[in-house]
Structures are given as structure tokens and as C-alpha cells.
Amino acid sequence: QPAAKVASQPAGAAAPQSASQRPVVRLEHARKAFGGNQVLNDISLSVSPGEVVAIIGPSGGGKSTLLRCMTLLERLDGGGLWYGGFSAGEDGELAVARPASGDPRGRAVYGDKGALAQARQRFGLVFQSFNLFPHMSVMRNIMDAPLVVQKRERAEVERQARGLVQKMGLAGCEDKVPCQLSGGQQQRASIARALAMNPQVLYFDEPTSALDPELTGEVLKVLKQLAAEDTTMIVVTHEMAFARDVADRVVFMDGGVIVEEGPAEQVMDAPAHERTREFLSRFS
Ligand code: ADP
Ligand code: MG
């Protein structure tokens, strides 16, 4: 279990914290619209080291957009986004976007290229459809970003990649290309590829929804194992059992707002809001 399970911080509460307590990622008053469609409406979310946060909610509620903004695939219109320091002792957070003019709900002003490049090294992202390079072997898929983006030493990267192949249950698949793998194996290779960057936080957007039920289990098992090792994870999921049993905190999103969030048992078994109850009742 994670040492620190801190609830989402109140807006503007930026008390000094030691590196180990500091949120891994912090989003404050995030706003995002597509045309006239307000998809994220004042979302604040702060995730502690070792925490597993499940994001649930109906389709179209803004879950993917939230992850896409946190992973810099989309830009916020307003609010701010910060990533925590890499290691204990490192001061300060990395500001990806800050609200303009001191107003916490102000227009989001993004950092320079260097800051964004640094931020991109701090997270990994696993999508619903396995986003492996189709022409590369499993090993090359895993080793590519550590070699090319992080410019790490080949022997060390290869050692880590072999370890990740074992850990993800992919022994024997090292030299296979994605089309030779099952969907579950491809998704586990995607997870290995994300882990190879040594991210501080892993994001998953419905990692099992493209899989047959029997392959869903093997991917959830890997997520469960990562959670047990205190990997910080934010998982958008339709797997309610996973949210209840594995997540520390559950966030219910609908219509671009966080309707309700809290400890997993509380939100899943005793939701406070009618919209949460109605959503959960679809799964029982
Ligand atoms: P969820 O993941 O919860 O199903 P999304 O974040 O995918 O929700 O979508 C939320 C809303 O944003 C939907 O109305 C969707 O149509 C809209 N949306 C998402 N991405 C785009 C985009 N790139 N351009 C325009 N509208 C978008
Ligand atoms: Mg989505």
C-alpha cells in the first residue's frame, strides 16, 4: 500500500512539501473546450507517489481529454499543470502550464520546449489500442525511446528491456513483431515500453476495452502487480472490479466535471451522488 494517500488538494493550497510527499502530478482548475463544447470544466486533480487513481464515468464525459491534456497531447485553455521533482531532494515542481496573471483560473500559459520535453520524460501512456511500432520487434519497441529520446547506454537499456519482457510475461516474444502477438501480449508489450522510460507516473486510457474477456484478465493482472509495487498510475477504466479492488482513489467524471471522488470503497460501494449511483447501477 502506498505510504501517502492524500486526497485531492484544495485549490490554491501550495504548502511546501518534501519531495516524497509532493504530488507526482498536479492539475488545477483545468479547462478545455473544443469549439463551443466545454469538455473539461474546472478540473483539479493531484496524485501522490504510489497512488493508483481510477477514473470512471460515461462515454463523452471528458476522461480521455483529461489524460490527453495531462500527457501534453492536447493543450489546456485555462488552469495549470505541474509535474513533481524526479527524486527526493530535488526542489520544485516542473511547471508545464501556469495560469496567467496570478488568477488560478486564468488562461493556461505553457512552458518552453525544454520544459515540455522534460515533462514528457516523467510519464508513460498506454492507450486502448496497442500503440506499438508495427515494423519493430518487441525488444526494439521497448528499447527505442530509452535509446533515442533518453540517449541511454545500449547495454543497460537492453538489460532493463529483458527484465521487463520477463516481468510482463513475454518471454519468447522478444523478436516477434506486434502482428505475431495476441492483443493481450501487445498490450503488455506497450506497458513494458512505457515502463522502460522509468516514468514517475503511468497513464492508461481504457487499457482493456479492445481486448476479449480472457485477455482482459492478463492485462489487469499486470496492472495489479504494478499497483502492488507502488507504481503511481492513473487509469481510465470500465472495469468496475478493478476500480474497487486495485485503485486507492476513484474519480467519477461526467459532463466535464469531477462529480465525485474519494477512497475506492467509498465511491464504489457508497456513492454520495445520484449520477454516480445511476452510472454504477449499469454495471451491477
Ligand atoms: P471520454 O473519454 O470520457 O469518453 P472524451 O474526452 O473522449 O470523453 O470526449 C469528451 C467530449 O469531447 C466529447 O463530446 C467529444 O466528442 C469531444 N472531443 C474529444 N476530442 C475532441 C477533438 N479532438 N475535437 C473535438 N471534440 C472532441
Ligand atoms: Mg475515452
Side-chain angles (χ1 to χ4, degrees), residues 32-34 40 64-77 81 96 110 120:
K32 175 73 183 174
F34 291 110
L40 300 179
S64 292
T65 302
L66 177 68
L67 288 204
R68 291 176 61 80
C69 287
M70 294 180 86
T71 56
L72 315 189
L73 296 172
E74 297 282 357
R75 290 199 169 203
L76 297 171
D77 301 330
L81 172 65
V96 173
Y110 275 77
R120 284 196 180 90

Side-chain angles (χ1 to χ4, degrees), residues 68-270:
R68 291 176 61 80
C69 287
M70 294 180 86
T71 56
L72 315 189
L73 296 172
E74 297 282 357
R75 290 199 169 203
L76 297 171
D77 301 330
L81 172 65
W82 295 263
Y83 275 88
F86 255 124
S87 54
E90 186 180 326
D91 280 340
E93 289 177 309
L94 179 65
V96 173
R98 292 176 188 281
S101 67
D103 170 8
R105 290 179 172 76
R107 180 174 56 85
V109 179
Y110 275 77
D112 61 18
K113 261 188 180 166
L116 302 192
Q118 265 195 57
R120 284 196 180 90
Q121 304 237 359
R122 302 193 181 195
F123 57 78
L125 176 58
V126 177
F127 295 96
Q128 171 180 347
S129 54
F130 341 108
N131 43 321
L132 295 167
F133 299 117
H135 57 291
M136 287 187 192
S137 69
V138 166
M139 279 295 279
R140 279 192 58 205
N141 262 287
I142 298 172
M143 292 172 61
D144 186 66
L147 290 176
V148 175
V149 180
Q150 294 182 322
K151 305 197 188 317
R152 283 156 52 196
E153 197 230 330
R154 177 172 287 275
E156 180 262 325
V157 169
E158 185 166 341
R159 207 173 320 123
Q160 183 194 22
R162 295 206 181 279
L164 287 169
V165 161
Q166 293 296 325
K167 181 172 177 170
M168 293 296 128
L170 293 169
C173 298
E174 289 85 346
D175 299 321
K176 293 188 175 167
V177 289
C179 69
Q180 296 175 297
L181 304 177
S182 74
Q185 287 171 327
Q186 288 187 48
Q187 196 58 312
R188 285 181 281 132
S190 302
I191 297 170
R193 194 175 65 175
L195 286 168
M197 295 283 279
N198 298 317
Q200 294 176 294
V201 53
L202 276 180
Y203 295 94
F204 295 87
D205 193 354
E206 300 191 11
T208 62
S209 58
L211 298 175
D212 295 335
E214 71 269 23
L215 301 181
T216 294
E218 63 187 48
V219 170
L220 291 179
K221 204 172 127 194
V222 164
L223 294 192
K224 208 166 172 171
Q225 182 190 348
L226 293 174
E229 294 167 0
D230 285 353
T231 311
T232 309
M233 299 194 279
I234 301 179
V235 187
V236 172
T237 186
H238 282 128
E239 295 289 333
M240 295 302 131
F242 175 84
R244 180 187 286 103
D245 301 339
V246 182
D248 299 302
R249 179 151 52 110
V250 172
V251 171
F252 173 67
M253 267 185 86
D254 189 9
V257 299
I258 294 178
V259 174
E260 173 163 7
E261 70 174 303
E265 320 79 69
Q266 182 187 308
V267 174
M268 301 305 291
D269 298 334

